[in-house]
Amino acid sequence: MEAKFRPGDSVRVRVDSSPRHMRTPTYIQGKVGTVKVVHGVFCDPESLAYAGDGLPKQFLYLVCFNQAHVWQVGDELSRDKLYIDIYQHWLESA
Amino acid sequence: MQRVHDRGGWPDVGPIDKSEHDYSMWEKRTDALMRLLISDEKQIMTMDEVRRAIECIKPGAYEKLKYYERWIVAIETLMIEKEILAHQEIDHKVKALERQMAGSPRPSACSRREKQYGGEIQTRG
């Protein structure tokens, strides 16, 4: 099983408005960041949350975002970063 | 869709209250109960399910509940969902405790439950 993304890749977080349980916060959905670390492969927690088997396993990435981009505020936050762990099925190339 | 537990960028809130506090006995018992339920020995529920059950609490109730009260609601939700306990069994036990504690100086289990949960327990997300 091979990771779809590598450190340095630019990725966009998918948007999902359904009411189901999800492990990716709303505030990061639709945002573009950079992959920093490939943590490895794990059972899907969104499946485990409903007593599912967690399969197929998903790669988990540490993704870095500019805070000014995430919160859409001005220059005072322009150097601050937000690091967040996101599962592969939430990411697409950007 | 903004979710009540995703606090990043939450509008109109001030700094987080970082004050320390001692845990009451019911909070310690709740912690112990949850650890037992998700233990390898019991495997009645998982941390993933508990997290989902907490995050499914309706926003109005979620904001009113304290940290360990949300855990209790989640445990109750999952015990009912997994058909280990029924609503009626829990209500019956709470009423029995209410009668037992009647006349005690402490607040009754039933009135506290009604007041703080407001009946807003969602069984499925």
Side-chain angles (χ1 to χ4, degrees):
Chain A
M1 204 177 165
E2 218 177 284
K4 186 177 173 188
F5 303 107
R6 281 179 279 188
D9 284 354
S10 185
V11 290
R12 178 182 296 106
V13 182
R14 283 196 302 106
V15 176
D16 189 336
S17 313
S18 62
R20 69 181 181 90
H21 174 73
M22 44 191 75
R23 299 307 308 150
T24 299
T26 310
Y27 60 77
I28 211 70
Q29 292 180 25
K31 302 296 190 287
V32 176
T34 307
V35 173
K36 289 295 184 189
V37 176
V38 182
H39 288 306
V41 70
F42 302 92
C43 286
D44 179 0
E46 292 163 358
S47 160
L48 297 177
Y50 293 99
D53 58 12
L55 302 176
K57 287 192 175 184
Q58 296 287 336
F59 274 94
L60 181 65
Y61 302 90
L62 182 68
V63 185
C64 174
F65 299 83
N66 290 322
Q67 291 220 30
H69 168 62
V70 175
W71 310 120
Q72 297 175 326
V73 291
D75 291 340
E76 61 268 22
L77 291 183
S78 65
R79 287 184 299 177
D80 288 347
K81 308 289 186 192
L82 177 75
Y83 291 85
I84 185 166
D85 291 328
I86 305 185
Y87 282 88
Q88 185 169 290
H89 63 293
W90 276 95
L91 299 173
E92 55 195 23
S93 292
Chain B
M1 179 178 141
Q2 191 162 37
R3 307 197 182 219
V4 68
H5 57 278
D6 284 338
R7 304 308 284 195
W10 201 258
D12 304 326
V13 290
I16 294 169
D17 177 10
K18 296 181 190 174
S19 59
E20 298 286 334
H21 68 280
D22 290 330
Y23 293 105
S24 58
M25 185 52 71
W26 73 265
E27 290 175 312
K28 291 177 186 176
R29 284 190 180 127
T30 302
D31 194 293
L33 175 63
M34 207 275 285
R35 287 170 195 272
L36 179 66
L37 291 169
I38 67 171
S39 67
D40 287 342
E41 182 197 345
K42 295 294 181 188
Q43 293 187 43
I44 290 175
M45 53 186 71
T46 65
M47 199 62 224
D48 301 276
E49 290 175 296
V50 173
R51 186 180 291 117
R52 179 261 299 174
I54 290 171
E55 293 175 7
C56 281
I57 296 171
K58 289 180 189 168
Y62 186 100
E63 296 282 18
K64 283 184 219 159
L65 296 169
K66 293 185 194 147
Y67 183 84
Y68 278 105
E69 287 173 334
R70 292 180 196 140
W71 282 32
I72 290 178
V73 171
I75 289 167
E76 184 172 346
T77 298
L78 291 167
M79 295 295 267
I80 293 167
E81 185 176 292
K82 293 170 182 292
E83 298 180 345
I84 295 168
L85 290 174
H87 260 301
Q88 299 88 334
E89 286 179 274
I90 297 172
D91 289 346
H92 180 78
K93 181 66 174 180
V94 170
K95 287 191 173 87
L97 287 169
E98 169 91 340
R99 285 192 296 273
Q100 191 181 313
M101 289 166 77
S104 152
R106 287 176 297 171
S108 70
C110 188
S111 62
R112 186 174 67 227
R113 181 169 179 263
E114 279 301 309
K115 198 187 303 178
Q116 292 181 329
Y117 296 177
E120 289 178 59
I121 295 172
Q122 189 173 338
T123 53
R124 221 167 256 286

